[in-house]
Amino acid sequence: MNAPVLAIVVPCYKEEAVLPETTERLSAVIDSLISNGMISDNSYVCYVNDGSSDNTWPLIKEYHETRKHFAGINLAGNVGHQNALMAGLHTVKDKCDIAISIDADLQDDVNVIGDMVKKYEEGCDIVYGVRKSRETDTWFKRNTALGFYKLMRSMGVKSVYNHADYRLMSRRALQQLSNYNEVNLFIRGIVPLLGYKTDCVYYDRAERFAGESKYPLAKMFNFAIDGITSFSVKPVRLIFNLGLIFILIAFCVFIYTMYSYIKGAAISGWTSLILSIWFTSGCLLISLGIIGEYIGKIYTEVKARPRYNIESILLADENKE
């Protein structure tokens, strides 16, 4: 059997500080796998420039022109990590047998790429890269991440604990992924829905090699909301259940009020009334916000606008020998 063509898809946004080192490490991995006969000599790294305003795209063009196994995609504007990743996967799906997605920051261990390829040879269509622990994270990030995964599971969203977007996908898995056309992307929630044979490889996650994180707390919070609202309607059902609880409370208050009236007891006034108004008003506003979030998702989906626009593509087969 011929060795598979591997495409390593790397979304990049303002990564000029780390890109030279990323290129060296990925180049070494590809050369090693080719020399061992695990992948084809036509394998390549595909950088996806997500509208960076720094020197990221000129560097990608330089690597394409001077190195054999490097390609590039330049998006017309910044569309976000998930859309940039999808743009890369859609572009390479007909030009490879397997694709591995990985971030440019070198926090994910590139040395387990060979293990992923071995899992593919054993019959897996999807191989997840899963970090062994979160010892390198701060206490806050470690616990918020744990809470995020628990919340996702409680909402009925399929997800792999401690897995982000470091994964291998076969060609048929990529083809099926391309059938998911939603605008509000949460790829790590979509991939488990494909249903093919999967496995995991485990690694220790390192500190970012250079540059700054592109996922501050606000973006992580929005990402979590996108993941929940894109895959679960449980928040809406919780609102319904909350309404039932309020009706039950109101019925109990009604019985208590009638009992007090019959007994001639004085009914407490302003404190209980004001507290009730503020509490129910807060719950109503939260409920409206949750419903509004879903309506907003519907609004963006029905417009069916393109998730990204590609300005230029530098194909791997155009590389200099």
Side-chain angles (χ1 to χ4, degrees):
M1 185 177 71
N2 294 330
V5 175
L6 168 65
I8 302 178
V9 178
V10 188
C12 303
Y13 179 63
K14 295 183 179 180
E15 298 289 4
E16 65 174 353
V18 73
L19 212 53
E21 181 66 21
T22 302
T23 299
E24 293 298 330
R25 294 193 192 183
L26 290 178
S27 181
V29 168
I30 282 191
D31 289 343
S32 175
L33 293 177
I34 291 174
S35 64
N36 291 332
M38 295 179 64
I39 61 174
S40 166
D41 187 53
N42 294 323
S43 300
Y44 57 96
V45 175
C46 182
Y47 287 129
V48 184
N49 178 42
D50 186 19
S52 302
S53 57
D54 62 357
N55 203 39
T56 297
W57 180 240
L59 282 173
I60 293 173
K61 290 196 293 184
E62 177 187 335
Y63 299 143
H64 169 72
E65 292 167 357
T66 59
R67 294 172 177 262
K68 183 178 181 182
H69 300 290
F70 284 84
I73 300 171
N74 189 31
L75 301 183
N78 177 246
V79 294
H81 178 273
Q82 295 291 280
N83 285 316
L85 176 55
M86 190 66 87
L89 295 175
H90 280 182
T91 301
V92 305
K93 65 182 175 66
D94 297 319
K95 301 177 179 64
C96 67
D97 298 305
I98 49 177
I100 291 177
S101 57
I102 186 172
D103 290 338
D105 57 16
L106 294 177
Q107 289 187 279
D108 297 319
D109 186 2
V110 299
N111 294 314
V112 301
I113 288 178
D115 297 331
M116 289 182 168
V117 175
K118 289 179 182 178
K119 295 287 186 182
Y120 165 75
E121 293 172 347
E122 294 170 2
C124 294
D125 284 282
I126 301 168
V127 182
Y128 298 107
V130 180
R131 55 193 299 183
K132 293 179 181 177
S133 67
R134 289 187 168 269
E135 294 179 357
T136 57
D137 289 345
T138 62
W139 178 91
F140 178 78
K141 187 172 182 180
R142 181 166 56 251
N143 285 276
T144 52
L146 177 62
F148 167 74
Y149 285 109
K150 287 184 176 180
L151 179 61
M152 294 292 286
R153 289 189 178 183
S154 69
M155 292 293 172
V157 181
K158 291 184 177 180
S159 62
V160 179
Y161 181 67
N162 273 347
H163 163 71
D165 286 301
Y166 187 22
R167 71 180 70 86
L168 176 148
M169 298 182 70
S170 67
R171 174 179 287 189
R172 70 169 182 170
L174 291 170
Q175 296 289 347
Q176 286 299 319
L177 180 65
S178 68
N179 293 328
Y180 289 76
N181 297 315
E182 54 255 50
V183 175
N184 301 285
L185 276 177
F186 187 69
I187 298 176
R188 68 185 72 173
I190 295 175
V191 173
L193 300 178
L194 301 181
Y196 294 125
K197 183 179 178 181
T198 66
D199 206 337
C200 298
V201 296
Y202 298 89
Y203 64 95
D204 291 314
R205 188 172 171 88
E207 298 282 354
R208 167 178 271 273
F209 181 80
E212 298 179 354
S213 173
K214 307 307 184 297
Y215 264 94
L217 181 60
K219 279 193 175 181
M220 290 298 294
F221 180 73
N222 291 332
F223 188 58
I225 291 176
D226 283 340
I228 293 170
T229 55
S230 296
F231 286 88
S232 176
V233 295
K234 281 193 175 182
V236 177
R237 291 175 181 168
L238 287 174
I239 293 173
F240 176 76
N241 293 333
L242 187 62
L244 293 179
I245 292 172
F246 280 149
I247 291 175
L248 179 60
I249 293 173
F251 180 72
C252 293
V253 171
F254 172 76
I255 294 176
Y256 173 75
T257 303
M258 293 302 297
Y259 175 79
S260 299
Y261 177 76
I262 294 172
K263 291 291 186 178
I267 300 176
S268 301
W270 290 106
T271 303
S272 59
L273 179 62
I274 294 300
L275 287 175
S276 298
I277 291 174
W278 277 99
F279 179 69
T280 54
S281 298
C283 291
L284 286 172
L285 288 174
I286 292 173
S287 301
L288 288 173
I290 294 174
I291 295 172
E293 186 69 30
Y294 279 92
I295 293 174
K297 288 289 189 294
I298 296 170
Y299 174 68
T300 55
E301 292 291 344
V302 297
K303 287 188 294 186
R305 290 177 178 173
R307 290 177 292 198
Y308 54 83
N309 294 318
I310 295 177
E311 184 172 302
S312 57
I313 300 177
L314 304 175
L315 297 177
D317 56 7
E318 294 175 356
N319 285 327
K320 295 180 180 181
E321 298 294 336

